[in-house]
Every structure is written in C-alpha cells, then in structure tokens.
Amino acid sequence: MTSEAHALDVMDRALGAALADDVSAILRGGSLWALRFADNAITQNSSANDTTLEIECALGARHAAVSTNRLDGESIRTAAKRAEDAAQASPPDPEYVPPPSQEETTKYSRPVSAWHDRTAATQPDEIAEAVRRTSAAAGSRRLRLSGAFAGGERFIAVANSRGLHAWHRSTEAEIHITALGTDSSGWAQRCANDIDELKPDSVADEAMRIAETGGAPEELPPGRYTVILRPAAVEEMVPYHMICDAKATDEGRTFLRGKLGQKVCGEKITIRSDPADPRCPSDPFLTDGLAAPVLPWVDRGVLANMVTSQYWARKQGRRTTGWPTNVIIDGADRTLDQMIASTDNGLLVTRFWYIRVVDPMRCLLTGMTRDGLFRIEGGRITGRLKHLRFNESVPEALGRVEDIGRAERATIGALVPTLKIRDFRFTSGTKF
C-alpha cells in the first residue's frame, strides 16, 4: 500500500511538472480482493492492486484533467503536459471555481478512524475457510448459498498549487449471502471497516433462517399495507433520493424545489452526514480537497440542506457542502422483534431490487420485494408471501413512519434503521 509520504511526494512532483494558473492532483488506489461463491462452492477468487494519479490544470476558467497509473517521473511530466494542452484547447467553463486553499484542511472533520490492521492483513485462505464452513452448514440444512466476501484497503490523497495537502486511508470488508431453498430464499449482509465484525457464520445463519421461515409462499392481493422495512430495504429506497443537488432543485428539476426550511417528511426522520461517526466512518474530504459535509440534510422532517457546489454557493450566497461521503438516518432503541410484536397486521420486507424512478417530481419509485416477504398477524410472523411490486413516493412514505428501529450499517457508506410505515402501496404481484 502506498504510504502517505510517497503519495505526497508523487503529488508534489505532479504539481511541479505543470505550469498552469492552478494545478490539482488526486492520487488514489488500494489493494482489494473478492471471493464469490454459488451452490455452496467457491466460483471465483480475484484481487486488484492499482494506483491512479489525476492531474487537473486550469488556465483562467479553462480546465482539463488527465489520469495515469504510471508514476515514474517521465510519465508524470507527460500527463501534466497533456492536461495543460487540453486546458488550453478547452472553452472557458462559466461554473469553474479555483481549488480550495490550505485553510480548507482546518475544516476537516475530527479524526476519522477507518483503518484496521486486521482487515489489511487478511489472507485468502481465511476467507475460503469461512465460505467452506458456511457452505457445509447450508448443505446440512438442504439449502444452497451464493454470494460474495470482499474487502481490502484503499487510500486517497489530494494536493493543489494553493498549498492544500490531504491524505486518508481506510479498510473495508463486506459479505452478502443468499440462501436458496426449493421454494424460498433468504438474504443477509454485513459490512464494516474491521473484518472481525462481519462474523460470516452469523450472516449465513441469518440468511438461512429467513429462507426457512414461513413455509411455501402464498399470494397476497395488491393494496396498501403496514410494512416493516429492514435496513437493506431502507437503504435501497430512501437516503440518496432525499438528498438533492441545490442547483438542479433551484432550477425546478427536483421534487424539493422551494422546500428548503420546510417540512418534507415525518418528524421522526433525520438524515445527516458525519465522516467521523465511528459506526460509519468515511473520507473526511472530497476529491477536490473540500471538507466532507458534517450536517443534517433532513432535520426531524424539515429540509435543512441540499448538495451545494462552490459555484452555486457563491451565486446564491449559501454554504458549500459538496456531496456526502456517508449518509446516516438516525435510529431508535427498538429491536426488530419489538417492532414485529407491535404490529397487528402488516408485512416484513427483507429488501428490494430493480428500483426505478417513475416520477422524479414526486420522487415516486417502483420496485419489487426480494428474498423474504412475510405476513405479520397478531404481533408475529405467520407465513411467507409471494413477492410484490410497489409504487411509492419516498417523502410521502416517510411522512407515514410509525416506528423506527436501531440503525445498522447497510453499506460501507450508509447507516440506516428499520422503518415501520403505514399504508405502503403495492400495485401487483411478481413472478420474480
């Protein structure tokens, strides 16, 4: 893995090789591995180790970037010259803003702890042994497992001719497993920066328990139902649809136009970003060197912020935010079992797939349930159901949230809770 000293040396050489008004350099890379399996057998083992340097040159408002994965002196000089030539040939960009100065580094979030030596030192035979164990357990239960176990280490470093230098490294690991029975499936996932938190045997057991729950699936007519959406379903549907670009919104191209400072969903919902949150740490800066945002996007149902570029912030007199490097939906101290027990009549959704936007001006989505849809009656699961297609507006659904569970890490960059929503609209069944 590239060290901080080496990364900064490479970028300083890149900055010194260009003769533009402003020069920026981004160096990023890492060592990543992935093991895939299907039908209780390993099908693929892969690894990649690469580092890429991007050099951007600006001549006034004309700018261009060139990237290379060759880091010797001659290759760096060649890339810098190509970036200069491309900038010279480019038309002026009316939205160009010079890169931030060294002072921007003082705005970075408090120290972010996203590196774990144990993850970086993980060997392929450890991963293969974990898959072997879980596959053997599945075979004894007459189930078939498929999925992937992936992880590794990565880094990003940013520097520019205005004195800014930044560096961050992290490790990450993720496992997701689908368990297949004769007429059922179950799914479970876990991700973390520390691979020891994954506990693949536990993930496999959860996927298998979901596949074994409820018996043969029965049909349920379309309609509006109270649903309990597990974190995977929430992450697939909610966070990034509720965070919109300010310029697009002000120009009338998103459903949030004119709603800044107004209520856009239920007061139980707070969506925010914080790169230093130990439950979901992320890069403390963006690829241009700007500090990653630490702020609420939706604060107790009220639209508090939108993604605002430097250009649009200056034009509108607002704060620059940049895009978030993580998204957190605040949860509550409620377990899934407690939420099920409080439901007289409803559905439990494991996750969604094939989500598509139907009407962007309402944030109306469609998609299908997958890998476990269950009927809840009298506070307990009473059967497995055939899957359903939904059509639902995200902000309208979030206005009908009745209960919130504990926040869990659904992806490496998202921490979200289980949500209980009334009157969730399903429009048809599905054969998938």
Side-chain angles (χ1 to χ4, degrees):
M1 173 112 165
T2 299
S3 68
E4 180 177 5
H6 180 245
L8 296 180
D9 176 65
V10 168
M11 291 190 297
D12 282 343
R13 283 188 284 140
L15 298 179
L19 300 175
D21 296 336
D22 282 301
V23 186
S24 301
I26 307 169
L27 189 71
R28 49 189 158 189
S31 179
L32 303 174
W33 48 262
L35 187 148
R36 301 181 185 277
F37 49 97
D39 287 337
N40 297 340
I42 294 172
T43 58
Q44 182 186 48
N45 184 34
S46 63
S47 63
N49 192 335
D50 193 22
T51 300
T52 300
L53 171 67
E54 180 179 306
I55 303 172
E56 181 178 37
C57 291
L59 301 167
R62 292 173 296 166
H63 62 102
V66 169
S67 62
T68 179
N69 60 1
R70 296 185 176 184
L71 304 181
D72 60 278
E74 182 60 29
S75 295
I76 292 175
R77 287 189 291 273
T78 298
K81 182 63 168 61
R82 288 175 58 204
E84 287 180 34
D85 292 345
Q88 184 71 47
S90 298
D93 179 357
E95 297 187 7
Y96 176 73
V97 176
S101 67
Q102 182 181 9
E103 183 182 358
E104 184 70 16
T105 62
T106 64
K107 303 176 185 177
Y108 292 169
S109 184
R110 59 191 185 278
V112 175
S113 178
W115 176 272
H116 291 266
D117 291 338
R118 175 72 180 85
T119 307
T122 299
Q123 297 299 310
D125 57 343
E126 296 180 66
I127 308 306
E129 172 58 22
V131 172
R132 186 201 65 76
R133 286 196 316 271
T134 58
S135 296
S140 67
R141 294 161 72 165
R142 298 184 179 180
L143 295 170
R144 293 174 294 135
L145 298 189
S146 62
F149 199 158
E153 55 189 274
R154 65 178 183 87
F155 75 91
I156 180 170
V158 179
N160 64 41
S161 54
R162 294 176 179 246
L164 184 144
H165 287 79
W167 156 272
H168 177 67
R169 66 173 186 168
S170 62
T171 55
E172 56 191 55
E174 184 264 350
I175 183 170
H176 62 268
I177 296 176
T178 300
L180 294 175
T182 55
D183 57 4
S184 66
S185 65
W187 181 89
Q189 177 196 46
R190 198 167 295 161
C191 51
N193 300 95
D194 182 356
I195 196 170
D196 285 338
E197 294 180 12
L198 294 192
K199 304 187 186 310
D201 298 272
S202 173
V203 177
D205 183 66
E206 181 181 355
M208 289 188 283
R209 283 190 291 106
I210 294 172
E212 293 168 334
T213 298
E218 299 178 352
E219 289 190 4
L220 185 72
R224 290 188 175 274
Y225 296 93
T226 293
V227 295
I228 296 176
L229 305 183
R230 300 195 69 177
V234 174
E235 189 277 332
E236 289 154 351
M237 181 179 177
V238 175
Y240 297 100
H241 288 101
M242 290 297 294
I243 299 174
C244 291
D245 178 75
K247 181 174 183 290
T249 300
D250 291 343
E251 293 174 347
R253 293 183 281 123
T254 83
F255 70 100
L256 292 176
R257 181 180 183 181
K259 296 180 180 177
L260 190 63
Q262 297 182 18
K263 186 176 180 180
V264 293
C265 63
E267 63 182 20
K268 293 181 182 292
I269 300 299
T270 291
I271 304 173
R272 59 188 179 85
S273 294
D274 181 358
D277 191 306
R279 301 169 299 169
C280 188
S282 61
D283 295 345
F285 53 85
L286 309 180
T287 56
D288 57 4
L290 286 173
V294 181
L295 46 73
W297 304 103
V298 176
D299 187 6
R300 290 170 292 182
V302 174
L303 181 63
N305 287 285
M306 292 180 288
V307 173
T308 309
S309 67
Q310 290 191 86
Y311 164 75
W312 201 246
R314 292 185 180 188
K315 184 177 179 65
Q316 301 290 66
R318 297 179 188 165
R319 170 186 175 180
T320 299
T321 69
W323 286 95
T325 55
N326 70 355
V327 177
I328 300 165
I329 301 179
D330 286 342
D333 191 22
R334 294 274 284 169
T335 67
L336 177 61
D337 287 343
Q338 288 173 326
M339 296 176 75
I340 292 172
S342 70
T343 305
D344 289 330
N345 188 9
L347 309 180
L348 174 63
V349 178
T350 301
R351 66 173 180 140
F352 294 126
W353 71 329
Y354 280 142
I355 291 180
R356 298 292 184 269
V357 177
V358 176
D359 182 353
M361 299 311 294
R362 284 185 56 203
C363 196
L364 179 66
L365 309 182
T366 188
M368 293 175 282
T369 62
R370 186 178 187 185
D371 295 326
L373 176 65
F374 302 97
R375 187 67 182 262
I376 302 172
E377 296 175 294
R380 63 187 183 88
I381 293 174
T382 58
R384 177 180 292 269
L385 300 171
K386 292 184 178 180
H387 288 293
L388 296 170
R389 173 177 290 279
F390 73 88
N391 272 50
E392 187 60 85
S393 162
V394 175
E396 291 174 19
L398 294 181
R400 303 191 299 272
V401 171
E402 294 186 333
D403 201 358
I404 297 183
R406 294 173 181 169
E408 299 178 18
R409 204 166 184 180
T411 68
I412 203 67
L415 185 77
V416 301
T418 300
L419 294 180
K420 181 178 176 179
I421 303 173
R422 70 177 182 277
D423 296 331
F424 196 88
R425 183 174 178 235
F426 291 100
T427 56
S428 66
T430 173
K431 295 181 181 179
F432 295 96

